[in-house]
Amino acid sequence: MKIRCHRWRLFLSLIILCTALLPATTHAEVKYSTYTKDSYNNQIWLQPAYFPLDVIGEDLYTTDPKQPNVKTPSPLRNPKDIFIDAKNEVYIVDTGNNRIVHMTEKGQLLRYLTLPESPLNKPEGIFVTKEGDIYIADTGNKRVIKLDKNGKMQTEFKRPDSKYIPATFVFDPAKVMVDERGFLYIAVHGGYEGIVLLDPKGKFQGFFGANKTALSPLDALKRMLYTKKMYANEVAKRPETINSVATDKNGYIYTVTGGMAKSDQLKKLNIKGNNLLRSSNKTFGEVVPGDVPIGPITSGPQLIDVAVDQSGNMIVVDSQFKYISHYDASGNLLYFWGGASAVGSSQVGLLKSPVALDVNARNELFVLDDQENIVQVFRLSEFGQKVDQANQQTLAGYYEDSEKSWQDVLRMNAQFTPAIMGLAQAAFTKEQYEEAKKLFKEAGNQEGYSDAFWQIRMKWLQQNFSWIASLLLFSGILYMLINKWTSKSRFRDKWRNRRRIHHSFLMNFKHVFYMMKHPIDGFIAIRYEGKGSYLSAIIILLCVYASLVIKRLVTSFSFDSSIHVDIYSIFTQFFIVWIAWVIANYLVSSIYRGEGRFRDIFIGSAYALVPYMVIGIPLAFISNIMTMSESTIYHYVAQGMIVWIGLLIFWKIQWIHNYSVGETALNIVFTLCTMLVIGVLIFITTGLTNDLASLIYEMYQEVILR
C-alpha cells in the first residue's frame, strides 16, 4: 500500500513539474490570426509568428520634489513615435504631455526629457544615434532639435533657407532619421516635395525620395483636351506625403506613404533615392478580404510606419485595418497578422490605433498605440524564428544550408510558400532540376521554373544531339531521293489531277483558308458570292472556343501561371462578347450606311477568328519546349496573331459594308460604344427584374400569410 501511494505521489509531482515548465515552451492562445499569401494570391492560415510578451508604458508616474515618496500617475497621452536605441532602451514621444519618455526595455522609467529651457510643443518623432545623440521632431515649434546623451540641447534645426525651397513650403517636422554621416532626413507634414535632407550643420541638400503624382485616366484625358487656361483652373494634384522614414545597418532608407497604390506605399531607397523594390512589381499592405468594406468607395491599407529588424526584414503597420505585415529584404511577403480590437474593450495582441513600431536587438517587436496609450511587445515564436533563420540563409545564397531549416518550417505548415521556394532554390543548386522545376511551379515562380527547364533541356540536347543531327541529315537525304525517284511517277500525276471537292459544306469550310491568304477577296466573296454558311461559322466558333481552352490547359507554366481553368467561364465570356459584337456591329452598320447583311456579319466575324485556331494551338504546344529566354519570340508570335485577327476584322467591316478606311474606323468605335451601352442596359434590366421578382414574391407571401 505504501509503495502504491509513493508511486502516486511521484506521478503527481511529475505532472506539477511539467505544468510548471509548460509556460517556458508554449504560449497562451493568441487573439489574432496569422496569414500569408501564396504566389496565386490565395490566403493561407499560419500558426502565430509572434506572441504577445508584455505591455509597457501604462504605469508611468511623476514625483513632487517636495514629496519624493509620493508618486502621481502620469500616463501617456496621444503618443506618436517610438524608438529602440543600440542599448535596447525605449524612447516614446509622448506628444500630449510634451515630453520624451525614456525607459528600459522592460518598461522601467529612466527619465523624462522635457527641456525646461526650451519646452517641447507637440513633438511627433525621435531618432537616437549609436553615440546616444537624440534628435526630436518638435512639430509644434516647427523645428528639429539635437540633444546629447544627457538630454542637453546642442543644436536647433529650423526651416532651412534656400532658393530651392518653395515659398509656400511649411516646415512642420513629423519624423526624423539620421544616417551614418550625420545627415538629417526629415518627413514633413504636407511636404509633397519629399523628405527634407539637411547636412550636419543644417544646410539644405535637397528633397529626397519624393512620391509621384497619381493621375487617373480622367486626369490624363483632361491634359489632352483642356487648354492651358482651362487646366490651370483645375485643382492641382499633389503627390502624397511621406508618413515615416527609417534606416537599417546597411544604410538603406525606408519610407511609407498612405493613400497611394499598394506597390508604392513602401519604398526601400539607396543613397541616390532609387527605389529598390519598384522593379519587383510587388504590393505592400495586406488585409484579410473580409475586412475590406464593400461599397462604391473602398479604402485600401494606409501604412503609417516601418521598422527594419536585425535580419533586414521590413515590418509595416497599417492604421486602416490594424494589420502588421512582414516582408524580407527583397520585398517578398512572409506573413501578416493582427486586426482591430473590439470596440469598448482591450485585448492583448489586438490594436486600437497603431501609430508607430520598432524592434530591438533580439527582434522583439514594440508597437505603439495612441488610443490605448500603451506599447505592446511581441516576441517571435518558434515558427517565426525558423522562418527568419531559413530566409536569411536563402537570401545570403546558402541554399543547401537552408534546406533543413525550410523542411522544418514545412513540417509546421505545409502550405508556406517561402519554404517551398527555398527548397526549390536548394534543389536547383544541387542540380536536381526536375525536383526544382516541380517546386518552382508549386511556389508559383515562373522565372525559376523556366531556369530549371532550361537546364533540363540543355542536358537532354547534350545527351541526344548526335542522333538528332543524324536523323535530320538522313531525313533530308531520304526526302530528296524520294522526290527525285517519284518526280515522273503515275501516283504524283494522279494526285495533281485528283477530283476537286464540290460538297457545299466542305467548300464553305475551305473558303476559310482561302480568306486567310486573300482576306479582301474572301470577304467580298462572302458578301456578293454567298460564300460561307451559318453551320461552318458555328463550327469555327466552337473550334476557337476549344482553342481557348486548349491554350489555357497546354501552355507552359513559363508563359501562363494559371492553375485553374474554368471552362464554363471561358465559354460564357467568349460567346457573350462575340454575340454582343455581332449585334452591335449590325445595328451600327444598319444606321451608318452599311451594306452588309446580318448573315455576312455573323459569318465574317467568325471567319476572322481563325488565326487564333491556326496559330494559338501550335504556339501553346511549342511553349512547352521554350524557356523565358525565348519569351520575345513567344510574345512576338502571340501579338502577331492578335494583330492578324484585328486586321481581318477591320477588312471584314470595310469590304462587307463597302466603307472607306475612315468610315471603318468610326464603325469600330461606334460598335464598341454600342456594346458598352448594351452591357449597361442588360445590367440595369437584370437588377430591376430581380427587384420586381422580389417585390412580387413578397406580396405573394403577404397575401398567403394573411
Side-chain angles (χ1 to χ4, degrees):
M1 187 70 180
K2 291 182 178 180
I3 295 175
R4 185 176 296 177
C5 291
H6 177 72
R7 288 178 178 175
W8 272 107
R9 289 175 182 174
L10 180 62
F11 180 69
L12 290 173
S13 300
L14 288 172
I15 292 176
I16 294 171
L17 179 62
C18 291
T19 304
L21 293 176
L22 191 62
T25 56
T26 62
H27 295 75
E29 182 181 357
V30 297
K31 300 295 184 182
Y32 51 84
S33 296
T34 303
Y35 305 94
T36 189
K37 291 181 179 179
D38 63 14
S39 299
Y40 307 103
N41 208 37
N42 298 315
Q43 186 171 291
I44 298 170
W45 176 90
L46 300 174
Q47 51 268 74
Y50 275 83
F51 284 111
L53 179 65
D54 198 2
V55 176
I56 63 175
E58 58 182 351
D59 55 352
L60 297 177
Y61 59 88
T62 57
T63 57
D64 189 342
K66 297 180 180 179
Q67 296 178 316
N69 295 327
V70 178
K71 297 181 179 180
T72 303
S74 181
L76 297 171
R77 281 202 306 159
N78 196 28
K80 289 299 180 185
D81 200 12
I82 185 170
F83 188 87
I84 314 296
D85 69 6
K87 297 185 292 185
N88 287 335
E89 294 178 350
V90 182
Y91 292 79
I92 301 174
V93 180
D94 190 3
T95 305
N97 290 315
N98 295 321
R99 66 188 181 185
I100 305 298
V101 180
H102 183 194
M103 298 186 293
T104 67
E105 60 180 327
K106 300 296 183 182
Q108 297 175 349
L109 179 65
L110 294 176
R111 59 177 172 171
Y112 295 123
L113 296 174
T114 56
L115 273 72
E117 70 278 13
S118 181
L120 300 173
N121 183 14
K122 306 298 181 185
E124 293 189 14
I126 189 169
F127 186 91
V128 182
T129 66
K130 294 178 181 178
E131 296 75 22
D133 293 330
I134 304 168
Y135 291 80
I136 302 172
D138 191 7
T139 310
N141 289 321
K142 301 183 183 300
R143 63 178 181 173
V144 173
I145 57 175
K146 177 184 177 182
L147 314 180
D148 64 15
K149 61 183 179 181
N150 297 316
K152 184 177 179 181
M153 190 166 78
Q154 293 183 322
T155 311
E156 183 181 57
F157 303 92
K158 291 194 173 183
R159 186 186 191 278
D161 185 15
S162 173
K163 63 180 180 180
Y164 300 107
I165 299 178
T168 56
F169 179 77
V170 178
F171 190 65
D172 286 334
K175 295 292 186 291
V176 61
M177 185 276 291
V178 182
D179 66 12
E180 294 288 341
R181 305 168 298 168
F183 279 63
L184 284 75
Y185 296 76
I186 305 170
V188 180
H189 285 302
Y192 62 86
E193 297 90 348
I195 293 172
V196 177
L197 179 59
L198 306 179
D199 68 11
K201 295 183 179 180
K203 185 177 180 181
F204 179 70
Q205 300 297 312
F207 291 105
F208 182 85
N211 295 312
K212 291 185 177 181
T213 304
L215 295 177
S216 65
L218 180 60
D219 295 320
L221 184 63
K222 287 180 179 179
R223 278 192 168 187
M224 293 174 57
L225 302 179
Y226 281 18
T227 63
K228 289 185 178 180
K229 186 175 181 181
M230 292 171 64
Y231 198 77
N233 294 328
E234 290 287 309
V235 177
K237 285 204 168 185
R238 306 294 188 188
E240 295 289 341
T241 303
I242 294 172
N243 289 334
S244 185
V245 58
T247 188
D248 64 8
K249 57 186 178 183
N250 296 317
Y252 293 114
I253 299 148
Y254 302 80
T255 66
V256 290
T257 307
M260 295 184 65
K262 291 177 67 176
S263 58
D264 292 325
Q265 287 202 31
L266 172 62
K267 294 181 179 179
K268 180 179 181 179
L269 307 171
N270 59 18
I271 196 67
K272 294 182 179 180
N274 299 324
N275 184 10
L276 304 181
L277 303 178
R278 181 182 299 278
S279 60
S280 58
N281 196 28
K282 294 178 173 63
T283 60
F284 303 100
E286 313 296 334
V287 296
V288 177
D291 292 335
V292 179
I294 299 175
I297 300 177
T298 300
S299 177
Q302 302 290 317
L303 302 188
I304 192 68
D305 198 18
V306 57
V308 186
D309 67 14
Q310 303 305 312
S311 302
N313 299 320
M314 298 171 285
I315 309 171
V316 296
V317 60
D318 169 24
S319 62
Q320 177 76 14
F321 299 102
K322 327 302 181 190
Y323 280 97
I324 297 175
S325 304
H326 299 249
Y327 305 89
D328 67 17
S330 299
N332 302 307
L333 174 67
L334 296 176
Y335 39 76
F336 62 100
W337 53 276
S341 179
V343 178
S345 66
S346 299
Q347 297 171 286
V348 175
L350 297 179
L351 308 169
K352 282 285 182 67
S353 177
V355 291
L357 49 76
D358 205 353
V359 291
N360 62 14
R362 292 189 296 275
N363 280 344
E364 293 172 344
L365 179 64
F366 293 68
V367 183
L368 179 65
D369 192 315
D370 72 342
Q371 185 172 336
E372 297 278 7
N373 293 313
I374 57 171
V375 176
Q376 295 199 50
V377 186
F378 300 87
R379 173 177 292 173
L380 278 168
S381 66
E382 180 185 3
F383 175 75
Q385 292 174 8
K386 285 285 186 183
V387 169
D388 184 63
Q389 176 188 353
N391 197 57
Q392 293 314 303
Q393 292 173 328
T394 296
L395 292 178
Y398 303 127
Y399 300 121
E400 294 186 40
D401 295 338
S402 70
E403 186 174 11
K404 184 180 182 304
S405 300
W406 283 128
Q407 288 173 345
D408 292 339
V409 173
L410 277 184
R411 277 192 287 270
M412 296 179 182
N413 193 302
Q415 294 181 296
F416 192 57
T417 301
I420 300 171
M421 184 67 186
L423 290 177
Q425 292 172 320
F428 187 89
T429 303
K430 294 192 297 183
E431 299 184 1
Q432 298 173 354
Y433 299 121
E434 287 289 352
E435 178 67 13
K437 188 179 78 164
K438 185 188 77 171
L439 290 171
F440 276 126
K441 184 174 183 179
E442 187 177 352
N445 188 299
Q446 290 177 282
E447 185 176 352
Y449 177 91
S450 176
D451 291 341
F453 178 71
W454 190 92
Q455 295 290 345
I456 294 170
R457 188 182 67 177
M458 178 61 68
K459 188 175 180 180
W460 185 86
L461 287 173
Q462 289 173 345
Q463 293 174 347
N464 300 282
F465 179 77
S466 59
W467 71 263
I468 292 174
S470 301
L471 181 63
L472 291 174
L473 177 62
F474 287 120
S475 297
I477 294 172
L478 183 62
Y479 173 78
M480 288 188 295
L481 291 174
I482 293 173
N483 186 57
K484 184 177 180 180
W485 292 339
T486 61
S487 60
K488 297 181 180 179
S489 65
R490 293 182 179 179
F491 171 77
R492 295 184 69 167
D493 290 337
K494 288 182 178 180
W495 175 256
R496 293 190 193 100
N497 299 321
R498 69 190 184 277
R499 293 180 61 187
R500 302 297 179 182
I501 300 172
H502 296 289
H503 192 279
S504 60
F505 170 74
L506 295 178
M507 289 295 293
N508 288 329
F509 201 80
K510 186 180 177 181
H511 184 70
V512 173
F513 301 97
Y514 173 81
M515 188 194 66
M516 292 178 65
K517 296 180 181 179
H518 310 283
I520 295 176
D521 293 339
F523 287 121
I524 291 175
I526 290 175
R527 173 66 184 90
Y528 298 104
E529 298 178 20
K531 293 292 180 70
S533 65
Y534 281 111
L535 179 59
S536 60
I538 291 172
I539 291 175
I540 288 172
L541 287 175
L542 293 175
C543 291
V544 173
Y545 163 68
S547 301
L548 289 168
V549 175
I550 291 171
K551 186 176 182 297
R552 293 288 299 275
L553 290 171
V554 176
T555 301
S556 169
F557 180 75
S558 298
F559 302 101
D560 187 354
S561 61
S562 304
I563 56 174
H564 300 296
V565 179
D566 188 347
I567 297 177
Y568 175 77
S569 177
I570 295 174
F571 179 88
T572 305
Q573 293 173 10
F574 170 66
F575 281 101
I576 286 177
V577 171
W578 187 85
I579 292 171
W581 164 266
V582 171
I583 294 174
N585 188 248
Y586 175 72
L587 294 174
V588 170
S589 303
S590 299
I591 299 173
Y592 189 56
R593 205 180 58 77
E595 298 180 5
R597 300 163 297 181
F598 182 82
R599 171 191 179 278
D600 305 327
I601 297 172
F602 187 96
I603 296 172
S605 297
Y607 283 16
L609 300 178
V610 170
Y612 198 95
M613 183 173 55
V614 174
I615 297 177
I617 294 178
L619 183 62
F621 282 99
I622 292 172
S623 70
N624 288 278
I625 60 172
M626 300 175 71
T627 66
M628 293 184 72
S629 57
E630 294 96 31
S631 62
T632 303
I633 300 173
Y634 177 88
H635 293 300
Y636 177 81
V637 175
Q639 291 169 6
M641 176 184 67
I642 300 301
V643 170
W644 191 3
I645 293 173
L647 288 173
L648 289 176
I649 291 175
F650 187 91
W651 289 325
K652 184 267 297 184
I653 296 174
Q654 182 180 7
W655 295 104
I656 282 181
H657 296 298
N658 195 19
Y659 283 152
S660 65
V661 173
E663 290 174 331
T664 304
L666 282 175
N667 181 281
I668 293 174
V669 172
F670 292 154
T671 299
L672 294 175
C673 293
T674 304
M675 290 175 65
L676 180 62
V677 171
I678 291 173
V680 172
L681 289 176
I682 292 175
F683 177 77
I684 294 173
T685 303
T686 303
L688 293 175
T689 303
N690 291 335
D691 291 341
L692 179 61
S694 299
L695 177 62
I696 294 173
Y697 178 75
E698 290 175 2
M699 293 172 63
Y700 171 77
Q701 290 286 348
E702 186 175 353
V703 171
I704 294 298
L705 292 175
R706 289 187 178 183

